[in-house]
Structures are given as C-alpha cells and as structure tokens.
C-alpha cells in the first residue's frame, strides 16, 4: 500500500497533521507513507517516524525560473512537469490531500493515477474542483474564519484521510522530550535549569494574528512584578527584534527568538509550566508535549474551535481584535493557570477533549452550529428562536420550489428561460444568506452539494441537480409548512 | 530578468502566465493547461505571502 499525504500549508498545519499520519501508519502498518510538503517547512516532519519518504515541492527552482530569463515560464513548466511526473510514477494507492488550496487540488489530480483512491481537494477531468469525500465537502462548505465550524482542524484532517485518531497519535517523539534532552536544551538558554519558567511566543503565523508588542510588554511587566518565575521568549529569527525589544526592560525575561530548532521547541515546551501565545506553531507543539497553553485569539481572523490549543487545561482569551485583550487580564490569567486557579474572566477552556465556555461567556448553543450538526451528523433539527431566520428559510423554500419547477421543465421549448431562472434563483439564494447569516451554513452546504455533481451527461447532471434541490427542500420543510411548534412559544407565530 | 534586463515581478509573471492560460483554454482542459494552472496558483500564493509578510496557509 503506497500512500501520499499532501500537506502544502505551514509549520502549524504540518504538526496538526502528525496525528493523522500516525493513524495512517496504524491503519496500514506495512504501507509506505510519503509526504509532499514545501521545502521551507519540511523541518516540521523531523521526528515523525511514521513517514517513509519526504517530497519537497520545488518552490525555489520554480521561483528562480519564473523571475529570471525569457524562457522562465517554459523552464518552470518543465520543472513542474518533471517533478509531478516522478510522483505520478509512484502509482499511489491512496492520496490524502490535507491542504485545502487550489494549488494542492491541482497537484493531487496531477499525481493520481487510475487506481488511486483520492481523498481531499482534487480536480475533475475538466479542471473543476472535485470534493470526492464528505469530509472535504464539509471543509469546503463550513470551515474557516467567520464560519460556524466547531470541529478542530486536527480531527478534520483525520476525517479527510479516512482514519480515526487515538490518544497515542498525539505524543511528541520521546527523543525530543525525554528529561535529559529537556535539560540539555534548557541549559543552552539563559534561564536557570530546574527553576519554573513559562514560554512566550511573541509572533504568530501572520502579522495580524500577533498580540501587539506594547501590550505584551505591559502584560509581562505586570507578571514580572507578581510572579518570580522565568519568562523565555521564543519565536523565529525574523521575530528576534520583537523579542529583544520586549525583554530589554524586563527582569527574568530572556529573548531566545531564532535560537532554537523545532525539536528544541518541543523540549522547551515540555519543560515549561505554561505556553503563552497567539495562533501559532507553538500551540500545536504544546499539544504534542501536553503542555497547557494560554492562547490569545482574535475572533475576526481566527476560528479557535479549529486551531486552538489541544492540551488539557489550556485556556483561550477571546476578543474581536488582539488589541482588545487587556494585558492585565493576560497577566492575571497566566497566574491563574500557573496556580491552578479558576479563570477570573469569561474564556474558553480545553476540558476532556473539547472546548467549554466559562460562565459568563457567550452561550455555546448556537442555531447555525446546531443546524450544521443536524445536516452533517444527524443531530436534532434545532428549534427556531428568531422570526427573521424563519422568514429567510421561507424565502429559501420558495426559491427552491421555483428552481425545482424549472428543472422539471427542462427539455421543453423554454429551456433557455428555465436555465436563466435557475441562475437567478442561485443569486437570490446567495442574497438571502448574506442578509441572514444564520442560514449561511445551510446555503453553503447546498451550494457545495451542487459543486459535487461533477461532469456527466446532461441527463445525469439534471437528475443530480434535481436531487440536490430536493434534499435542500427536505431540510427546509422541517421549518416551512410545519406547525408553529417549531418556533418558541414566546416568539411571533408564523402564518401558513 | 525581462527584455530590458530589469528583474521580473510576480505581477508581470502572473500576466504572462495568464496569457498562456487563456490561449490554452481555447482547446479545453489539457495536461499542459493543468501545469500552467499549477504555476499560476503557485505565483498567487507567493504574492499573497509577500503581501502578508508571512507564507500562506491555514494556521501556524
């Protein structure tokens, strides 16, 4: 069994893929597991014994060819063609694309052969996006910042690959975290070995995810006055200036940005009492070393449900923007975690493999999320509490009926008109979702099912399209045309 | 470098790739077109990475 895992995203995504790759090894103990990554991030595979061969996408060669010379494009085409030809020759039995980008979908299609089972984003024969498995279609429809998904990315990757995870899939390599190695790595840093310390990551995967340096400074200054432990600031070489600026005015805080390898970060995380930072690779390393985290998360750009810290006891401070997270709160919550005290502010906490909101935070009950679970996981159809949502569902129901009438009339003399009406229905459905975001997940599911139809004869496409609309109507009929019992008693009554 | 000896930019390369893609698309989807689309998406990721100051990806 020859397996290819495609992971073209960044360091954190690669670490989040570790459990899935390990699970693939468990499922296929005699299998040969290959992984395709970007060479810049391949260091994140160091220590993952489940991998037999690493392939590096030739980013540097491509860039050099494209940016120089008259024949740059031709050279780049040859480079890509040759590289992907090598992969295709492997004749993989299973290809799992754990990236969710257009580029990765084309790569997946290019390297798959007739007998390959493909999971994850790929392409149809006509070049259109293909979502061959339910997990990928869920990802396409429901995952990302601003959307309602609450499944963690690590679990979604496993679903895409078609494997189930076990606790043992989450362990760090023993050679990275065994006590002598941890001591060796700590001794390379300025902090005192065997004395408590916390690890602070001042950077993040993107600038906009970073906690402002001025606020870090205030938070750690307060902490410094109230706690006599050590603070080791880590990050990439590019973040060294940030680290230096931060540590220059603090006692017991040491800048170690750019000075540790990824394996060293495992050791430092294992030895730390707490890891503090924004959405970054360190959170995912801490998940593997089972180190609790205090995660600072801006809800406008990060969906913490998807990429939040997995280690038990971790806490997440939430705000729309990073600037809104108070440094006094950061300092206090660091101390609460260190002293194993309850949180003093509303936040999310990792408890028993799920996120739980502390009292005072928003309700974890959410109509849209409950609707998603009903559609994808057979959960109960949620009761409506908002008449405007009911109204939007009613509009969708009418549009659905209109489209079905057109589909059933296709083949008649007015076929062109039928198709125009269907196109307009399509646009109007989008408008309803924009005006009433609570129904957006339902619309997204519906649109994704249309994408999954794929190329076929016209009769088959019409039949499949009709089926998708009928399924849409089935969900809508739970609310539309049903008794007012679907609405809370104290809400407005629907008219039928 | 372009014809005038100036370093190429990603934007100019993207235009060049776009033109080739448009020509190939006239003949429907093909192996050659797929390679060009791969290159186009690669360039888009490079540009996005430069705009944000960080490489692209979903997290971390």
């Amino acid at each position: 069994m020859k397996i290819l895992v495609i992971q073209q995203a960044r360091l954190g995504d690669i670490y989040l893929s570790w459990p899935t790759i390990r699970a693939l090894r468990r499922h296929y103990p005699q299998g040969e597991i290959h992984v395709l990554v970007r060479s810049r991030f391949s260091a994140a595979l160091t220590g993952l014994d489940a991998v037999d061969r690493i392939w590096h996408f030739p980013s540097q060669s491509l860039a050099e060819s494209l940016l120089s010379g008259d024949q740059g494009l031709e050279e780049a085409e040859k480079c890509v063609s040759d590289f992907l030809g090598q992969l295709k020759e492997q004749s993989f039995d299973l290809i799992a694309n754990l990236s969710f980008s257009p580029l990765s979908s084309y790569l997946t299609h290019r390297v798959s052969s007739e007998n390959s089972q493909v999971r994850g984003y790929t392409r149809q024969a006509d070049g259109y996006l293909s979502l061959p498995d339910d997990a990928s279609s869920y990802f396409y429809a429901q995952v990302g910042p601003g959307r309602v998904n609450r499944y963690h990315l690590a679990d979604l990757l496993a679903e895409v690959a078609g494997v189930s995870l076990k606790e043992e899939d989450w362990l760090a390599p023993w050679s990275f975290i065994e006590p002598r190695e941890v001591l060796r790595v700590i001794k390379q840093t300025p902090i005192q070995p065997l004395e408590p310390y916390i690890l602070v990551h001042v950077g993040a995967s993107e600038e906009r995810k970073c906690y402002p340096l001025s606020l870090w400074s205030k938070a750690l200054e307060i902490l410094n006055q109230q706690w006599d432990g050590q603070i080791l600031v880590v990050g990439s070489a590019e973040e060294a200036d940030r680290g230096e600026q931060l540590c220059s005015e603090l006692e017991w805080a040491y800048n170690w940005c750019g000075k540790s390898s990824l394996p060293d970060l495992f050791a430092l995380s294992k030895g730390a009492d707490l890891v503090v930072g924004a959405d970054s690779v360190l959170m995912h390393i801490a998940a593997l070393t089972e180190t609790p985290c205090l995660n600072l998360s801006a809800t406008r750009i990060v969906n913490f449900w998807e990429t939040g810290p997995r280690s038990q006891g971790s806490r997440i401070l939430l705000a729309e923007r990073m600037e809104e997270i108070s440094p006094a709160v950061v300092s206090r919550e660091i101390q609460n975690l260190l002293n194993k005290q309850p949180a003093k502010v509303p936040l999310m906490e990792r408890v028993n493999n799920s996120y739980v909101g502390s009292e005072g935070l928003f309700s974890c009950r959410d109509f849209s999320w409950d609707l998603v679970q009903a559609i994808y996981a057979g959960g109960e159809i949620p009761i409506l509490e908002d008449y405007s949502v009911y109204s939007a569902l009613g509009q969708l129901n009418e549009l659905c009926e209109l489209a079905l009438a057109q589909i059933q009339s296709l083949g008649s003399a007015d076929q062109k008109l039928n198709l125009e009406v269907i196109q307009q229905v399509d646009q109007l459905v989008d408008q309803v979702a924009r005006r009433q975001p609570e129904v957006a997940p339902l619309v997204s599911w519906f649109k994704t099912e249309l994408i999954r139809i794929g190329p076929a004869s016209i009769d088959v496409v019409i039949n499949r399209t009709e089926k998708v609309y009928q399924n849409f109507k089935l969900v809508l009929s739970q609310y539309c045309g049903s008794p007012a019992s679907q609405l809370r008693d104290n809400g407005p009554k629907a008219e039928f | 470098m372009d014809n005038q000896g100036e370093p190429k930019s990603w934007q100019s390369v993207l235009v060049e790739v776009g033109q080739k893609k448009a020509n190939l698309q006239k003949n429907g989807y093909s192996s050659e077109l797929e390679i060009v689309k791969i290159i186009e998406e690669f360039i888009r990721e490079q540009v996005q990475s430069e705009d944000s100051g960080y490489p692209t990806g979903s997290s971390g």
Side-chain angles (χ1 to χ4, degrees):
Chain A
M1 178 77 169
K2 204 180 262 191
I3 300 165
L4 175 66
V5 173
I6 297 177
Q7 182 43 281
Q8 287 283 103
R10 290 174 286 190
L11 293 174
D13 300 275
I14 295 176
Y15 282 120
L16 283 174
S17 304
W18 274 37
T20 293
I21 295 171
R22 286 199 174 121
L24 280 167
R25 169 58 67 209
R26 269 193 299 102
H27 278 67
Y28 305 103
Q30 308 304 321
E32 195 178 301
I33 299 179
H34 300 226
V35 181
L36 170 62
V37 293
R38 289 195 272 174
S39 51
R40 179 176 176 167
F41 304 118
S42 69
L45 290 174
T46 304
L48 184 57
D49 294 339
V51 176
D52 294 299
R53 183 170 177 179
I54 300 171
W55 296 79
H56 300 111
F57 187 74
S59 305
Q60 192 169 346
S61 302
L62 264 184
E64 283 170 3
S65 297
L66 288 167
L67 292 175
S68 60
D70 292 336
Q71 306 301 319
L73 181 52
E74 285 72 26
E75 285 172 12
E77 287 177 79
K78 184 174 187 318
C79 174
V80 170
S81 183
D82 289 348
F83 174 72
L84 297 180
Q86 291 177 51
L87 276 168
K88 195 175 172 90
E89 278 173 11
Q90 297 291 321
S91 294
F92 293 106
D93 301 290
L94 169 64
I95 299 175
N97 179 13
L98 303 187
S99 334
F100 300 95
S101 63
L103 174 59
S104 69
S105 70
Y106 286 110
L107 295 179
T108 303
H109 182 246
R110 189 71 183 191
V111 305
S112 58
S113 55
E114 210 175 282
N115 299 322
S116 304
Q117 182 196 358
V118 176
R119 299 183 67 92
Y121 286 14
T122 182
R123 291 280 151 177
Q124 306 279 7
D126 60 2
Y128 281 86
L129 179 67
S130 171
L131 305 168
D133 55 280
D134 291 342
S136 299
S137 70
Y138 174 86
F139 195 102
Y140 183 83
Q142 310 297 347
V143 176
R147 288 176 150 179
V148 300
N149 169 57
R150 294 187 183 183
Y151 294 124
H152 200 276
L153 185 59
D155 298 314
L156 289 171
L157 296 180
E159 285 293 321
V160 170
V163 294
S164 48
L165 299 182
K166 290 186 174 180
E167 216 172 297
E168 67 213 53
D169 297 324
W170 283 94
L171 299 174
W174 177 244
S175 62
F176 289 2
I177 59 166
E178 56 106 351
R180 280 180 305 180
E181 176 63 10
V182 172
L183 189 60
R184 182 192 74 78
V185 172
I186 289 175
K187 280 183 174 177
Q188 292 178 340
T189 74
I191 63 173
Q192 295 295 315
L194 307 178
E195 295 292 330
Y197 70 94
I198 65 172
L199 213 55
V200 171
H201 184 199
V202 290
S205 53
E206 296 172 44
E207 181 74 35
R208 59 192 183 136
K209 293 180 183 176
C210 291
Y211 193 49
L213 204 58
S214 58
L215 299 183
W216 267 128
S217 182
K218 285 181 186 160
L220 296 183
E221 198 180 316
I222 298 169
L223 181 67
N224 226 179
Q225 291 163 5
Q226 298 170 355
W227 179 65
D228 52 13
Q230 303 171 98
I231 300 167
L232 187 66
V233 176
V234 293
S236 65
E238 289 80 14
E239 292 159 348
D241 284 345
R242 283 175 67 93
E244 193 52 43
Q245 205 176 327
L246 188 61
C247 296
S248 60
E249 295 173 9
L250 296 172
E251 201 179 355
W252 301 116
Y254 305 98
N255 178 26
W256 203 239
C257 289
K259 295 183 182 175
S260 46
S261 64
L262 289 171
D264 284 353
L265 282 180
F266 276 80
L268 291 173
S269 174
K270 188 65 180 174
D273 291 316
L274 187 68
V275 170
V276 186
D279 185 59
S280 75
V281 63
L282 196 55
M283 290 291 130
H284 308 314
I285 288 176
L288 295 169
T289 63
E290 300 176 289
T291 308
C293 301
L294 179 65
N295 176 220
L296 313 184
S297 191
T299 56
R300 278 202 175 190
I301 46 179
V302 174
N303 182 341
F304 72 87
W305 296 99
E306 293 170 4
T307 56
R310 291 276 296 216
S311 31
Q312 177 76 0
S314 293
R315 293 178 185 172
I316 307 172
L317 285 171
L318 297 168
E320 278 199 14
R321 295 185 185 81
M322 291 300 253
E323 298 77 18
E324 295 167 14
I325 300 177
S326 156
V329 168
V330 172
S331 171
R332 190 167 60 233
E333 289 310 316
I334 288 174
Q335 293 177 75
N336 283 335
L337 271 162
L338 290 171
N339 297 326
K340 297 185 175 23
Q341 296 295 315
K344 295 285 192 298
V345 295
L347 46 67
M348 299 301 289
E349 190 158 358
R350 186 79 183 169
V351 177
N352 296 331
N353 288 327
S354 61
Y355 293 117
V356 176
S358 64
E359 203 174 320
L361 197 62
F362 58 86
S363 167
C364 287
R365 298 293 305 171
D366 180 278
F367 173 80
S368 298
W369 173 237
D370 291 344
L371 188 58
V372 164
Q373 291 183 92
I375 294 168
Y376 289 94
E380 278 189 25
I381 296 286
I383 293 177
L384 274 171
E385 296 185 1
D386 186 335
Y387 187 73
S388 63
V389 177
Y390 171 80
S391 178
L393 291 170
Q395 290 167 13
L396 289 174
N397 191 52
E398 287 176 14
L399 290 169
C400 190
E401 285 178 346
L402 179 59
L404 276 168
Q406 305 309 307
I407 291 169
Q408 282 149 10
S409 298
L410 284 171
S412 67
D414 287 329
Q415 180 158 308
K416 190 176 170 201
L417 178 62
N418 297 140
L419 290 171
E420 280 175 10
V421 172
I422 291 171
Q423 274 180 345
Q424 289 197 11
V425 163
D426 205 42
Q427 291 166 12
L428 289 169
V429 164
D430 287 336
Q431 280 183 28
V432 171
R434 277 196 296 274
R435 279 202 311 266
Q436 195 67 51
E438 285 87 344
V439 304
L442 176 59
V443 169
S444 198
W445 163 75
F446 162 66
K447 288 296 182 80
T448 304
E449 290 302 294
L450 288 174
I451 288 172
R452 295 184 81 185
I453 289 173
S457 68
I458 187 69
D459 288 340
V460 170
V461 170
I462 291 172
N463 283 341
R464 289 178 182 170
T465 305
E466 186 177 11
K467 182 80 179 146
V468 170
Y469 272 94
Q470 285 169 344
N471 287 340
F472 192 26
K473 183 145 174 54
L474 196 60
V475 176
L476 292 167
S477 67
Q478 303 296 316
Y479 298 100
C480 305
S482 62
S485 58
Q486 285 292 351
L487 296 172
R488 289 215 175 272
D489 290 337
N490 58 352
K493 299 296 181 191
E495 292 181 26
F496 299 95
Chain B
M1 301 283 181
D2 62 15
N3 289 339
Q4 279 72 46
E6 294 292 321
K8 285 184 175 178
S9 68
W10 282 123
Q11 290 299 339
S12 66
V13 177
L14 205 53
V15 168
E16 188 184 345
V17 170
Q19 285 169 350
K20 183 151 191 181
K21 185 181 79 170
N23 283 335
L24 289 170
Q25 275 173 334
K26 292 173 191 168
N27 301 322
Y29 199 70
S30 66
S31 173
E32 197 180 354
L33 175 58
E34 189 164 66
I35 293 290
V36 171
K37 279 181 171 282
I38 286 171
I39 293 171
E40 184 181 52
E41 291 302 332
F42 168 77
I43 296 170
R44 287 211 173 104
E45 286 190 1
Q46 298 303 304
V47 170
Q48 188 182 348
S49 164
E50 285 181 1
D51 285 348
S52 69
Y54 286 75
T56 57
S58 61
S59 80

